[in-house]
Structure formats: structure tokens, C-alpha cells
Amino acid sequence: MTETIHAAPTGVEGSIDRADYERQYRASVEDSDAYWRDQAQAIDWITPFRQVQDTSFNEADFRIRWFADGELNVSVNCVDRHLATRGDQVAIVWEGDEPGETRSITYRELHRDVCRFANVLKDLGAKKGDRITLYLPMIAEAAAAMLACTRIGAIHSIVFGGFSPDSLANRIQDCDSRIVITADEGCRGGKRIPLKANVDKALAQCPSVEHVLVIRRTGGDVAFTEGRDIWLHDALQGVSDDCAPEPMNAEDPLFILYTSGSTGKPKGVLHTTGGYLVWVTKTFRDVFDYRDGEVYWCTADIGWVTGHSYVVYGPLANGATTVMFDGVPNYPDHARLWETIDRLGVNILYTAPTAIRALMREGKDWVTKYSRRSLRLLGTVGEPINPEAWDWYHRVVGDGRCPVVDTWWQTETGGMLIAPLPYATDLKPGSATKPLPGVQPQLVDTEGKVLEGATEGNLVIADSWPGQMRTVWGDHDRFFQTYFSTYPGKYFTGDGCRRDADGYYWITGRVDDVINVSGHRMGTAEVESALVAHAKVAEAAVVGMPHEVKGQGIYAYVTLNAGEEPSEELRTELRQWVRQEIGPIASPDALQFAPGLPKTRSGKIMRRILRKIAENDVGNLGDTSTLADPAVVNTLVAERVR
Ligand code: 6R9
């Protein structure tokens, strides 16, 4: 299925057509300063910048700075500046876990909520540069909390509500938060998530935290620690509706978001104020071709970067109406998305391939029960989308009339880098198509040689773009080593990629030890260290395996301590253990007890072989002669989990 789907009819007023795209792309490369000086006018500056790009990926003068002498405030751009023209327009539609549990917040109301929230944070002693950890459901207060941080210049660090108390504690400690914002409980698919109780457990390991601000979501019972915990609704009593925005330098930190890498503990990806906002503002507007008054729905959680950039900052900076969904696509039934689209009149839907595959499996009757007449554009993100799922999304969900934008990007990139512009780029199912203006992708071989034409290699980006991350929180050296040392002078994405004869990019997946489970990144090292933390486990090796719905699943090989016996109970216990240590998304889909792991004579685990076994590709294990004990492979193959 490599047929080309032609771009929607060109000449749609206000949209970028093919000639515009080509002109913009050329301008962005040939005179990047002029191009970005112009594009950055899409946001409001308190102090206009004079400098534009000041970047180098080389070790000797490594630096990434954009618009570095400008000042702005993100909450002003996302809220205040819309008041004059669209104060009464809905900014956020909150859709709860139960269908129809809905609340609309106008830009004027959002302004008041953000100012009041910011004043509460100030009353708790928060100031510019402080880190504040958010552990929240998808409630409108979460967006207000994010914007309140930006209003006073505090740096938010959002931890996904599905992470365990331990994972939360590690992230709080790493950035030294003094304030945590949470809710009593979350609701997902009819179940309650004990957020406040998880925070209480985490804080046993976090002496730095002085205040916990608790939002009432369900009214469920929660424990309160006197002097530390405070209800938001109590704190809001008598608080002023006004809060002067803090002028922030373009390079002041905006947020930290922890993401998994191939080694060690999760990295605190740091984004700064000016470049990030320019990037998400422009990419939201252009890739979704957003038009005034449209209802836009991105199903991502704010615990992930997609929720930051394309639920909150990108849409609100453009004055859009953005839906915040506190539920899941299969609750109360498999028609939830389509029913909600009809009820809210959604025009643009942005979701993940894993959700599409899961719904596709349930059959098209769930979809066709609803009209979906309001839909104009469909988007995907998070992992490669197989052409079958793309086709179903396009043909069944979009009735063949909505362009599908497959957007490739990463936590590190801040926003989309490779994606179609719906009225400029012909679509090919399964391809993220072409680089956006300002993005210079290259494919390199393992030696770093740049490959030309139709080819396959590792995906690098040759020059900086404004939305790029600036550092790993607290470890600038790790930032350089992780992304800029493999291929000197270039940003290494960690992804493999093919480019076809038309110059289209086809992302093939991670080439490092990161697995992408339902579009969520998991480091194999993290799962391994959770497993070996169990008293009965001697050693563990974790690899990805193909999974029909999740894209990739987690396959764990576990060697038990001497004297321990494998059993079904222990298998269940270990999977449960990982859930507790990291969170449900990290729980292995398959767990094989391995008497021994294939190792080289120097003791390195041969993951290549473990991957093949997990993929059930055992006819082709390659060279096993360098193994210390080649016989272990036969045992693993014979006992593999199917
Ligand atoms: C935004 C986000 C990043 C990794 C990335 C790649 C995979 C994301 C993709 C895609 C193919 C797409 N990925 N979008 N692969 N096509 N459209 O997902 O960020 O959680 O940091 O994950 O996800 O492997 O390197 P993040």
C-alpha cells in the first residue's frame, strides 16, 4: 500500500500550499536568521529580540540559544493576548471520564483561573526559577497550573499520573521541587487512581517538598499532613484575580519533562521559553492548518510531551479551542472517541497509532454509528503507523475526505520536525513525509557518513531549530554525550529511517535501547534495574518485541538467584513488581525465566540474539560463535514465550 494520496485541494484560503512550503523551506535554510526573525513575530514579545540563532553542535563551542536577548511571558501569549478579540471564546473543553461530564472554560475564565492559581503559588513562596512538580489527571486545573507556573517564571515538571510513587519520588528529587501539585484521585476508564496517596508514599523519600497543593477531583477520602498539604479551593479563598506576568528571558527555563533514554535513569529534558513557544505556535498552526473557531482534540496526556506542546501550549498560543480528555478511548465502549467527536463538534483529531490499532480491531461499526461530519483533519504521533492502520484512519474514520498528518518528533525536539502540511504535501500512508521549514534531516551510516538519495540509515538533524531542548537538567555533559557525540556536529535522534526516491522520510523505529510501548518511551535499562531490585532475581535483560496493538511490547529474560524456582506465581509476581516499581506501562508483556543469558566472553549481554528470540525470528540468529557458552541460546529458543 504505497499509493500516494494527493494533498487536499490546494488554494484553500490562508493555508500553506506547495509553492509556499517550498519557498519557506528554502528561506529557512538559506537565511535562517531572517526567516526566524519573521516567524517569531507570531508571538508577543515584551522586549523584542535582536539576536536570532546562536548555536553550535560542536564540542569546542557547543551552545544552543535562540532569540537570546528577547523577553516574553508564555501565559500572556497563551491567554492575555486573546482577551481583546476572543475573551468569550472557549479555550478549553474539559471532557471527563464519563461521557458528557463536560466543562467549557473561556479565555476570560482561563485568565482568571491562571492568575488566581499563580497567586496561590506565590503565597506558598514560589518564585522565578523554582521547580514545581505536577502529578495530575487531565483536568482543566492542570492546564491552569502549567500556565500559572509560566506566569511567575516557575519551572514545571509534570509526572504522568500512571507512574508509581518511586518514579515520582525520583523525578521530584532530581529537580529538587519544593512544591507538588496533585489531585485527590484520578478517574480513568471507570477506575480511580490514588494520586494523593501515591504522592504521600513518594514524599517519604523527598524531604525537599514543603507544600502539596491538592485539587479536589473525585471527593474521595485522602490523608492530609498538617502544615504540608493544602486544598487548592481553600488556598484560593480571597486570592486576587490579577497577577502581573514575570518577564522571562527567551532562554529562561520553561519546563522539565523526564523521558527515558537508552542508559541510566530518565533524563530531565529542559525546554526554554522563547524558542519553544515559537516552535509549537508555528507547527500547530501550519500542520493542523488551524482555522479560527475550530474545535481541536489531542488525546495525549499532559504527562507526555504531546500533551505539553499540542494540548496546551501550541493550541492556546494560537487562540484555539482545545479539548482536554480525562478518559480513555475504550470507555465506556469502543465508540467513545466518535461519540465525543459528534457531541463536541470536533474538527481536528490528533491521536496515537496504538489507539487507532486498538479501535480498528473492534470493527468499523463502532465508528459508523456516529456521523463524524465535523472532522476536517486527522493526525497521528508517537510511533510509526503501519499503512493498514493509516488506511483505516483515513478511509473509515475520515470517510476518505480528511488528510492524515503523521507527525514525527520527540520530547527532545519540543514539537514536530517531520510532518506533512495538509494542503501542500502529498501523503503516503506510513510516511511522516517531509521536514518542516527549519529542519535539516540527514541519514548517516554507523560511521557517520552522510548518505544521499533513496537510502536507509540513522536519522540525524544537521542544524538547530528553535524548539530544541537545551540541556538535561543538572547534567549538561550528559546532554552533549547523549545527542551530539555519536555523530560529531549533528543531533542524533536515536531513530532509524528510510528515505525514498521522492525525498519522503519513513521512520523505522529506535536504533538504541529504547522501546516504544503504545507510543510511550521505556528504557530497557529501567525495566532491568526494576527487575533485579527484586530479591529473587539475579539478572535481567529486556528487549522489545512486536505487539499487534502496542506497536512494541516488553520481553524480559530473567535469571533467578540460586535456589529459586521458576513458577507461574513468580512470573505474575515479577510483572506486578515492575508495575509497582515504575508503573503499569512498564510491566513486561512476556517474561521468560532464563537459566543463563547469552554473553560475550567479556561479559556483555548479546541483545541482538535476545531480540531475535523475542521476535520469534529464530531461524536467523546470526553468529553465535563469540558467545562464552553458545548452548544457552538453544535453551532460550526452546523455552521462548509465545
Ligand atoms: C512526540 C513523541 C519519541 C520517539 C521517536 C520515535 C517515535 C514519534 C513518530 C515516531 C514514527 C512518528 N515517534 N512520532 N515514530 N513516526 N510519527 O512521541 O515523543 O515520547 O519522546 O517519543 O517516538 O521513535 O524517537 P517521545
Side-chain angles (χ1 to χ4, degrees), residues 168-180 199-212 225 227-228:
L168 172 62
N170 292 335
R171 287 158 172 80
I172 292 173
Q173 286 163 355
D174 186 79
C175 69
D176 245 329
S177 291
R178 283 193 307 115
I179 299 177
V180 174
V199 169
D200 290 338
K201 282 187 201 143
L203 293 196
Q205 312 167 47
C206 304
S208 68
V209 174
E210 293 164 13
H211 303 288
V212 179
T225 300
R228 185 195 71 184

Side-chain angles (χ1 to χ4, degrees), residues 259 305-306 380-385 406-412 432 493 495 507 509-510 516 519-521:
T259 191
V305 72
T306 307
T380 77
V381 59
E383 51 179 316
I385 180 163
D406 173 1
T407 62
W408 174 84
W409 58 293
Q410 311 177 295
T411 305
E412 293 88 339
T493 63
D495 278 321
I507 309 294
R510 303 288 304 196
N516 192 324
H520 301 318
R521 274 164 70 166

Side-chain angles (χ1 to χ4, degrees), residues 514-552:
V514 170
I515 26 193
N516 192 324
V517 186
S518 300
H520 301 318
R521 274 164 70 166
M522 223 42 256
T524 53
E526 280 171 76
V527 185
E528 287 164 5
S529 66
L531 282 166
V532 296
H534 189 280
K536 294 182 179 168
V537 174
E539 195 169 31
V542 167
V543 297
M545 64 176 212
H547 189 288
E548 211 184 302
V549 172
K550 298 178 178 182
Q552 275 191 305

Side-chain angles (χ1 to χ4, degrees), residues 10 32 35 40 64 66 71 78 104 159 175 205 220 294 350 374 388-389 411 413 422 478 489 492 500 543 558 602:
T10 45
S32 121
Y35 180 78
I64 302 170
W66 285 86
E71 285 186 314
C78 289
S104 291
V159 179
C175 69
Q205 312 167 47
E294 285 190 324
Y350 190 36
S374 53
E388 295 71 25
T411 305
T413 69
R478 188 172 173 200
F492 178 39
D500 69 17
V543 297
V558 172
S602 62

